[in-house]
Amino acid sequence: GESVGLHLPTLSVQEGDNSIINCAYSNSASDYFIWYKQESGKGPQFIIDIRSNMDKRQGQRVTVLLNKTVKHLSLQIAATQPGDSAVYFCAETSTRGDMRFGAGTRLTVKP
Amino acid sequence: DAGITQSPRHKVTETGTPVTLRCHQTENHRYMYWYRQDPGHGLRLIHYSYGVKDTDKGEVSDGYSVSRSKTEDFLLTLESATSSQTSVYFCAIGAGRGTGELFFGEGSRLTVL
């Protein structure tokens, strides 16, 4: 069936290094792909999204890459900081308006 | 922060009892969503609404019903709670299909004994 999933459940990086979090999807009909950050005890927060007709989009310290050929989405965080430690979710939204999430990757930043 | 509140924030109930969670927004957003979050499963969509009285099922809708009689309120009802419905429930709102951004509430932790 259709699904949104992640390659790795955990990622540990050194402060100042770049982080890359990956996501695989299978629904080719999705409109948007989105990355959310969730800190402990809080609801998810929007980081960045990318429309299905784009390959790359940059924000502040973050870049999202979309490879439709292999149905792969990635989130790159530049100069990772301790405040970036959280669980990161990729999500997709279809033409119906529903939004579905992957299982999440826990990012730990070591000082 | 987006104006979205969930109530109650914490609830403990017994198997077989009805439970209603409320989501209230002050942003006048068209779309509202209910998700549940469990360890190892991330966020799973229960039901969503794309307008007053317009709702649709998500991926884990069995055992849940919703109602949206006003733009600002989206209710999630467990008619007869079961232990498998112990979870953290998140409400989210969104402006529409033209954006990928949802705003989430703080969550409601439900324990079914």
Side-chain angles (χ1 to χ4, degrees):
Chain A
E2 298 169 349
S3 66
V4 179
L6 292 167
H7 292 313
L8 296 172
T10 61
L11 177 65
S12 182
V13 300
Q14 204 71 36
E15 181 179 356
D17 288 350
N18 296 335
S19 302
I20 300 176
I21 302 172
N22 297 303
C23 179
Y25 67 94
S26 58
N27 183 5
S28 302
S30 295
D31 281 346
Y32 280 87
F33 299 89
I34 313 100
W35 284 100
Y36 284 85
K37 173 186 179 183
Q38 186 176 26
E39 297 174 319
S40 181
K42 297 184 178 180
Q45 286 186 299
F46 173 88
I47 302 173
I48 190 168
D49 63 0
I50 186 167
R51 199 161 187 174
S52 58
N53 61 357
M54 299 171 64
D55 298 320
K56 179 179 179 179
R57 190 171 186 207
Q58 288 184 294
Q60 187 176 11
R61 283 201 307 119
V62 295
T63 300
V64 56
L65 299 177
L66 177 63
N67 185 331
K68 294 179 286 295
T69 302
V70 295
K71 297 180 182 175
H72 184 268
L73 183 73
S74 68
L75 175 71
Q76 300 177 2
I77 304 174
T80 314
Q81 304 169 359
D84 294 326
S85 292
V87 177
Y88 290 81
F89 295 96
C90 65
E92 58 162 346
T93 183
S94 74
T95 54
R96 297 180 304 167
D98 58 328
M99 186 175 295
R100 307 200 176 195
F101 287 72
T105 291
R106 180 174 298 280
L107 174 66
T108 301
V109 182
K110 296 177 290 185
Chain B
D1 291 341
I4 177 170
T5 55
Q6 293 182 226
S7 59
R9 294 289 313 281
H10 300 274
K11 186 172 181 65
V12 179
T13 192
E14 294 187 348
T15 298
T17 61
V19 176
T20 295
L21 304 180
R22 180 183 184 233
C23 179
H24 179 78
Q25 62 148 327
T26 58
E27 304 297 321
N28 201 36
H29 280 339
R30 179 183 175 190
Y31 284 78
M32 298 186 75
Y33 306 78
W34 276 108
Y35 291 88
R36 59 178 289 175
Q37 186 170 36
D38 306 288
H41 289 280
L43 289 146
R44 291 184 290 177
L45 180 64
I46 305 172
H47 283 280
Y48 69 104
S49 169
Y50 45 94
V52 174
K53 292 186 168 51
D54 292 324
T55 64
D56 204 351
K57 295 179 180 181
E59 55 197 311
V60 290
S61 59
D62 287 349
Y64 301 95
S65 63
V66 290
S67 66
R68 190 165 178 204
S69 58
K70 298 184 291 185
T71 298
E72 57 266 35
D73 291 322
F74 193 33
L75 304 180
L76 177 70
T77 298
L78 291 65
E79 300 290 348
S80 179
T82 67
S83 58
S84 65
Q85 294 176 310
T86 292
S87 187
V88 179
Y89 292 85
F90 284 98
C91 175
I93 61 175
R97 296 209 307 261
T99 173
E101 183 170 11
L102 297 187
F103 299 95
F104 282 80
E106 292 297 305
S108 297
R109 182 174 293 276
L110 175 66
T111 302
V112 184
L113 302 176

